[in-house]
Amino acid sequence: MQILFLGAPGAGKGTQCKKLAAKLKVPHLSSGDMLREAVKQGTKAGVEAKSYMDKGVLVPDAVLIAMFEEFLSKPEMKGGFILDGFPRNESQARALDELLSKLHTKLTDVINLETSDDLLEERITGRRVCPNKECNAVYHIKFQPAKKDAICDLCGTELVHRSDDKPEVVKQRLKTYREQTEPLIRYYGEKGLVKRVNGEGEPEQVFESLLGTLKVACK
Ligand code: AP5
């Protein structure tokens, strides 16, 4: 399966993609995680990306397209993959179409993870993430707390608060989503690929409805 996730900032894409990737045993390609790692490493792409991310606007298309071209061309992608955060506007979506066609593959499902706006702020401001690139686990101080305060359950790294999770940046991220990414629901809808999943409720409940929608057995 080649699955793309769409959904507002804080909708739970990362949370669900990680569970699904473990279940299907396919790679989870998160544009946000890749960009944050590039920022941490101080690469040319990372230095360029940081100023855009800190403002809550999109990083230039060329940076993302080059990044995904490199990852999607790897042999381990041949068994399927999950895309989270790319594409994020129509020009990226067209670039992805071309790239996948060059690689003789295509998207099988586009999941639109739906949540009401009033849930998003609480989810985002309480989020804590593991900065270890081999882990990138996501927690929430109230909804999904780590067992030991501020320490990742999985790898023991100290959890951090994302620098773009400040209220003023979150507002801009939501605006960017509405203006540039939400139109992709129609773009992929016209190709008959979009499936809606209710992102409200406990993460496990959301995961069950996701598996049901994708017709993947729960056990
Ligand atoms: P990115 O990292 O992709 O951020 P995002 O799309 O804004 O999404 P989030 O990571 O905020 O939310 P999520 O839906 O993954 O939610 P999560 O599972 O963490 O992008 C960051 C920036 O990078 C962009 O602003 C842009 O600048 C740049 N960028 C990235 N891709 C780009 C592209 N293609 N082109 C250009 N620029 C790009 O959950 C949120 C919280 O809620 C967590 O704390 C979690 O524990 C909790 N939670 C999750 N599910 C539930 C639930 N069911 N119940 C209760 N709590 C829950």
Side-chain angles (χ1 to χ4, degrees):
M1 295 173 101
Q2 287 79 236
I3 306 169
L4 162 66
F5 273 71
L6 295 175
K13 303 178 297 295
T15 302
Q16 297 299 325
C17 285
K18 284 180 177 64
K19 289 161 103 52
L20 188 61
K23 172 98 190 161
L24 299 177
K25 300 188 175 55
V26 296
H28 164 211
L29 301 180
S30 157
S31 56
D33 286 347
M34 289 178 192
L35 288 169
R36 281 183 285 280
E37 183 56 26
V39 170
K40 204 163 94 186
Q41 299 293 331
T43 64
K44 192 167 164 264
V47 171
E48 185 176 2
K50 188 169 179 357
S51 60
Y52 295 93
M53 295 171 81
D54 285 347
K55 292 191 197 97
V57 298
L58 296 186
V59 172
D61 292 344
V63 173
L64 275 297
I65 293 168
M67 207 174 236
F68 275 79
E69 180 155 20
E70 183 192 333
F71 276 91
L72 287 170
S73 304
K74 293 186 178 185
E76 57 267 36
M77 301 300 152
K78 290 218 162 71
F81 49 79
I82 300 172
L83 297 180
D84 168 11
F86 177 85
R88 235 171 163 106
N89 59 25
E90 198 170 316
S91 85
Q92 293 182 13
R94 291 192 189 285
L96 177 67
D97 286 345
E98 271 178 40
L99 176 59
L100 294 180
S101 136
K102 224 164 65 184
L103 295 168
H104 307 290
T105 184
K106 57 183 181 182
L107 293 175
T108 51
D109 308 89
V110 175
I111 296 294
N112 182 25
L113 197 57
E114 297 182 325
T115 36
S116 59
D117 279 6
D118 40 339
L119 273 183
L120 301 175
E121 195 182 331
E122 190 181 12
R123 283 196 184 176
I124 292 179
T125 49
R127 170 168 46 200
R128 298 294 180 270
V129 293
C130 175
N132 170 4
K133 71 170 176 154
E134 307 301 332
C135 181
N136 284 320
V138 181
Y139 298 86
H140 190 282
I141 49 174
K142 180 167 155 196
F143 304 128
Q144 290 186 296
K147 290 186 190 120
K148 205 170 149 201
D149 198 27
I151 299 293
C152 180
D153 295 350
L154 304 176
C155 70
T157 305
E158 191 171 344
L159 302 178
V160 297
H161 194 201
R162 267 172 50 177
S163 64
D164 62 346
D165 278 352
K166 298 183 197 99
E168 61 282 12
V169 185
V170 170
K171 215 165 149 203
Q172 176 58 50
R173 282 165 57 200
L174 203 53
K175 184 167 181 280
T176 305
Y177 174 76
R178 296 285 176 235
E179 291 172 357
Q180 300 195 48
T181 311
E182 212 169 44
L184 293 184
I185 298 170
R186 183 161 177 188
Y187 178 89
Y188 288 112
E190 284 167 359
K191 297 176 190 282
L193 290 173
V194 176
K195 292 168 180 157
R196 296 162 59 178
V197 171
N198 182 0
E200 301 185 8
E202 296 291 315
E204 272 313 316
Q205 248 176 308
V206 175
F207 190 54
E208 271 181 36
S209 47
L210 173 63
L211 294 182
T213 303
L214 290 170
K215 301 193 172 33
V216 172
C218 285
K219 293 285 166 200

